[in-house]
């Protein structure tokens, strides 16, 4: 009898791993395709312009054998400039997911409770469960997917940690600032506002971190900076809390190449960041109109994606798109957003390809 699992924490078995769509290589091989378009991962359509410059630096510097800026001071200072906060309030992390990991380790243990609002980003629950804590789910209220303010505040009275995903993933909705602030001010636990899609919504509560000592802002370079593969993120909070969080992060969690391209995108590509975000927002509006014209229900979004209700044919449509190399995020079986898919906004040309294929599938010609 294999006793391997007996050596692990007992609550490991409760964890449902993060779910991806099928891998690019697997889809190519299965359907004989040479091109895949990712409308499933909320990533940017192209890398930032500094990409070629980054490759040149890696070739000339040739320091992959050394530890580089293990303090993260250079990137911390650049982020302070980008976010317009003192650098003492910034915690650099190896992706937003490491931020979640750090916060879970710092606050949760066996028997503790943390609060989420489904549907939401699944890593909150995974990391909390890994620490032996219990997830208290206060679902968003249908049909508009608003936060249940009263129930959330009540749940936090016995909790150590609350996550608010704003704008929400996978829906895309942006909760009113006044609602978020009331929840922060009324919660006796740490409140993490995940602003991974902040640049596409334009509204933040980062200015409140000095007013409320229980507030942490979580962000990532994966969306606004087109660096999903680099795995770089950051937290914004008060200096006292930032010091403690910096003390428990991995000492060199971000690789030297990732650190370099994150530095470059903040020093050389800020104008591109603004123009790319503007392009995505314009395309989001056009895609919403086009999908609505096809007779589909499209939820309002303040992100770089749209949640679309396909109806009873959702699974068939997802499969038909996949066979054409078009991957969307399938939520058809999700009890909170049934019969829906999440569609990433990409370039105008790529969006046109998806719309044309989807129109053909709906009309029965593809």
């Amino acid at each position: 009898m294999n006793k391997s699992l007996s050596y692990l924490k007992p609550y490991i078995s409760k964890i449902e791993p993060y779910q991806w769509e099928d891998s690019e290589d697997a889809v190519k091989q299965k359907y004989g395709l040479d091109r895949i378009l990712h409308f499933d991962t909320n990533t940017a359509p192209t890398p930032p312009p500094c990409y070629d410059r980054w490759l040149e630096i890696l070739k000339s510097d040739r320091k992959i054998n050394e530890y580089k800026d293990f303090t993260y001071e250079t990137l911390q200072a650049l982020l302070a400039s980008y976010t317009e906060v003192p650098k003492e309030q910034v915690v650099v992390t190896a992706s937003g997911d490491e931020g979640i990991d750090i916060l879970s380790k710092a606050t949760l243990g066996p028997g503790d409770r943390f609060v989420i609002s489904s549907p939401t980003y699944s890593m909150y629950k995974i990391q909390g469960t890994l620490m032996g804590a219990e997830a208290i789910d206060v679902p968003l209220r249908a049909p508009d997917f608003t936060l249940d303010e009263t129930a959330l505040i009540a749940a936090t009275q016995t909790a150590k940690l609350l996550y608010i995903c704003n704008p929400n993933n996978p829906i895309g909705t942006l909760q009113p600032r006044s609602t978020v602030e009331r929840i922060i001010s009324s919660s006796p636990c740490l409140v993490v506002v995940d602003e991974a899609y902040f640049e596409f919504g334009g509204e933040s509560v980062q200015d409140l971190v000095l007013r409320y000592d229980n507030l942490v802002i979580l962000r990532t370079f994966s969306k606004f900076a087109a660096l999903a593969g680099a795995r770089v993120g950051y937290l914004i909070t008060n200096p006292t809390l930032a010091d403690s969080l910096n003390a428990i992060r991995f000492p060199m969690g971000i690789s030297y190449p990732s650190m370099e391209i994150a530095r470059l995108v903040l020093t050389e590509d800020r104008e591109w960041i603004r123009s790319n975000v503007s392009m995505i927002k314009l395309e989001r509006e056009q895609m919403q109109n086009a999908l609505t014209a096809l007779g589909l229900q499209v939820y309002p979004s303040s992100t770089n994606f749209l949640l679309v209700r396909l109806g009873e044919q959702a699974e068939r449509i997802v499969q038909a798109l996949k066979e054409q190399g078009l991957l969307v995020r399938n939520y058809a079986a999700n009890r909170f957003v049934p019969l829906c898919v999440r569609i990433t906004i990409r370039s105008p040309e790529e969006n046109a390809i998806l719309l044309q294929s989807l129109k053909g599938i709906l009309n029965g010609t593809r």
Side-chain angles (χ1 to χ4, degrees), residues 7-66:
Y7 307 122
L8 306 181
K9 297 175 181 178
Y11 33 84
I12 296 295
S13 61
K14 299 178 182 179
I15 294 176
E16 297 181 14
Y18 187 84
Q19 298 296 315
W20 297 90
E21 296 301 323
D22 293 340
S23 72
E24 181 171 322
D25 288 343
V27 175
K28 282 182 177 179
Q29 183 175 6
K30 185 172 183 179
Y31 300 107
L33 302 169
D34 56 11
R35 179 214 63 180
I36 298 293
L37 292 181
H38 281 283
F39 292 90
D40 59 321
T41 52
N42 296 348
T43 48
T46 63
C50 67
Y51 182 82
D52 289 336
R53 169 105 169 101
W54 171 66
L55 292 177
E56 292 173 6
I57 290 174
L58 296 185
K59 288 179 182 179
S60 62
D61 197 22
R62 301 183 63 163
K63 293 291 182 67
I64 195 67
N65 57 306
E66 301 287 359

Side-chain angles (χ1 to χ4, degrees), residues 223-288:
K223 316 305 177 185
F224 82 93
L227 294 181
R231 313 308 296 137
V232 183
Y234 64 100
L235 307 173
I236 300 174
T237 188
N238 65 77
T240 301
L241 194 52
D243 278 345
S244 293
L245 297 175
N246 265 315
I248 64 172
R249 65 164 174 78
F250 288 130
M252 273 301 292
I254 304 176
S255 71
Y256 159 53
S258 292
M259 185 77 71
E260 279 298 302
I261 198 165
R263 178 185 67 81
L264 283 173
V265 82
L266 289 180
T267 54
E268 299 183 4
D269 288 346
R270 291 202 193 184
E271 182 54 42
W272 174 84
I273 289 171
R274 286 188 283 270
S275 64
N276 188 62
V277 167
S278 295
M279 181 274 289
I280 294 295
K281 291 168 69 173
L282 177 61
E283 282 296 301
R284 181 181 69 200
E285 181 180 356
Q286 294 178 349
M287 282 283 282
Q288 181 164 1

Side-chain angles (χ1 to χ4, degrees), residues 203-222:
E203 189 166 308
S204 173
V205 291
Q206 76 167 50
D207 59 302
L208 300 179
V209 296
L210 296 183
R211 184 182 306 175
Y212 301 105
D213 62 8
N214 63 331
L215 175 60
V216 179
I217 307 299
L218 184 151
R219 292 185 187 158
T220 174
F221 279 64
S222 297

